[in-house]
Amino acid sequence: MHTPADMTQWKGRVDAAEGQAGRRWHQIMQPWAPEASQGVALTGFACDAGVHRNHGRPGARKGPGAIRSMLSNMPVLDCQTLYDAGDIAPVASGTHDGLEQAQDELSSHLAGLLAQGLLPITLGGGHEIAFGSFEGLARHLAASSGSTPRIGIVNLDAHFDLRQDDRASSGTPFRQIAENCRQRGWPFNYCCLGVSRYANTQALFDRAESLDVSWMLDEELGTSDRTNALSRLDAFLHSVDHVYFTICLDVLPACVAPGVSAPAARGVPLEVVEALADHVAASGKMRLADIAELNPDFDIDHRSARVAARLVARIANQAGAL
């Protein structure tokens, strides 16, 4: 179910004496409109049905509101045009949690935003968001491109999320995307950075190998490894034309992002995550992005929500969206 933007969420400090240079996001945020043709459009995916199915810690459905709260006072920098396109949430009926319908609605919604020329950034929500996000880009490109699009997925995550299961969950989206690409006759180009050797079974590493996934372990992504990581990322970006960028907050150390569905025992330093995010956003190939797995129920002093908001703002500014 899609609900329009609640603009009362956008409130915060006003530094009137500072003039235009003192503006904050809540002062320039607009409700999405069909005539919008440039800028960043935020959509909340208020869902953790996939986390429930994956036996994780529920609560990520509250993530979009928590991120918006931290974004409200973000200073206006390079990104000057912002829209709130509301929230999409599953509608449970009987024993069905509504996940698949919510993913389909998200994909249709994002395809519409892309057709308007907007840069969608979706606020999660569990990582089941990924199947809806990718399908939104796929729908848009299938309708607007006469040839097979070369889409690359860049996922910063401790987990491959390639699990084989009878039902979709927060652990299956990239396996589902691989199957979707095969059905379409498209290549599956997936780069997962920050994978934990101790949070993925051998079956997942084997599947990643069989699907020709490009990955780097968390232990290969320390601050001293940044140059090599950016070089590896560059090679992947050069091989594709369109990028879907997703960040699962559990890629970060638990002390930095405690409010997630599955906290990391090690994680990738924030400065490395930011460098990777900057690189993708500034590539000119990023078509949409999302932030997944914020769980406010387990956050400490809004620490994870602040990091999520910082990453959203960083992506918006680095992408140079006006």
Side-chain angles (χ1 to χ4, degrees):
M1 178 179 67
H2 179 259
T3 55
D6 176 6
M7 298 307 292
T8 64
Q9 295 179 89
W10 296 100
K11 55 189 176 183
R13 181 183 177 118
V14 176
D15 297 321
E18 303 287 358
Q20 289 287 97
R23 293 176 303 162
R24 300 173 186 271
W25 275 35
H26 71 91
Q27 292 173 275
I28 68 167
M29 187 63 65
Q30 308 170 62
W32 167 81
E35 63 270 16
S37 60
Q38 62 176 6
V40 167
L42 303 179
T43 298
F45 188 62
C47 176
D48 56 12
V51 176
H52 274 274
R53 293 184 183 186
N54 202 29
H55 309 294
R57 304 195 298 182
R61 66 189 181 281
K62 304 173 187 175
I67 299 174
R68 283 187 177 98
S69 179
M70 294 300 109
L71 281 171
S72 283
N73 273 322
M74 198 65 64
V76 175
L77 300 173
D78 297 323
C79 183
Q80 303 270 329
T81 307
L82 295 165
Y83 299 97
D84 188 336
D87 283 348
I88 288 172
V91 178
S93 176
T95 59
H96 197 278
D97 56 21
L99 173 58
E100 285 79 9
Q101 291 90 335
Q103 289 173 317
D104 184 64
E105 189 168 10
L106 176 64
S107 70
S108 178
H109 176 77
L110 293 176
L113 296 178
L114 287 162
Q116 288 181 244
L118 299 169
L119 172 64
I121 300 180
T122 309
L123 315 175
H127 217 166
E128 61 266 30
I129 194 175
F131 186 65
S133 290
F134 176 86
E135 182 62 12
L137 179 58
R139 286 187 184 188
H140 169 67
L141 292 175
S144 61
S145 175
S147 57
T148 299
R150 296 193 307 165
I151 303 174
I153 303 162
V154 178
N155 179 26
L156 308 188
D157 200 334
H159 308 93
F160 283 118
D161 289 343
L162 286 167
R163 186 170 295 117
Q164 184 70 45
D165 208 336
D166 293 335
R167 291 204 305 169
S169 75
S170 61
T172 66
F174 300 103
R175 189 264 304 164
Q176 293 174 263
I177 292 170
E179 293 174 355
N180 182 281
C181 288
R182 185 170 62 251
Q183 291 166 4
R184 291 178 179 272
W186 293 0
F188 176 60
N189 302 303
Y190 179 32
C191 176
C192 190
L193 304 176
V195 174
S196 171
R197 191 189 302 272
Y198 302 100
N200 295 268
T201 63
Q202 186 59 48
L204 292 169
F205 278 97
D206 292 345
R207 187 162 298 117
E209 187 76 33
S210 70
L211 291 170
D212 200 24
V213 175
S214 173
W215 76 80
M216 292 184 72
L217 299 172
D218 52 6
E219 57 206 63
E220 299 176 295
L221 288 167
T223 52
S224 62
D225 303 311
R226 181 161 32 183
T227 300
N228 180 51
L230 291 176
S231 177
R232 292 274 298 274
L233 177 58
D234 249 343
F236 180 80
L237 293 174
H238 285 317
S239 71
V240 299
D241 299 318
H242 311 278
V243 173
Y244 158 45
F245 182 42
T246 179
I247 301 176
C248 184
L249 291 171
D250 68 23
V251 74
L252 291 157
C255 60
V256 176
V260 296
S261 298
R266 176 175 178 140
V268 177
L270 179 58
E271 53 265 44
V272 176
V273 168
E274 288 188 328
L276 295 169
D278 287 352
H279 213 61
V280 175
S283 69
K285 297 183 177 183
M286 188 182 72
R287 304 293 176 252
L288 80 167
D290 59 43
I291 302 286
E293 300 284 349
L294 174 63
N295 188 333
D297 289 349
F298 295 94
D299 211 355
I300 301 171
D301 294 332
H302 309 294
R303 195 181 302 169
S304 313
R306 293 180 194 279
V307 169
R310 178 182 169 99
L311 290 168
V312 169
R314 196 172 188 107
I315 290 167
N317 286 313
Q318 285 293 334
L322 301 176

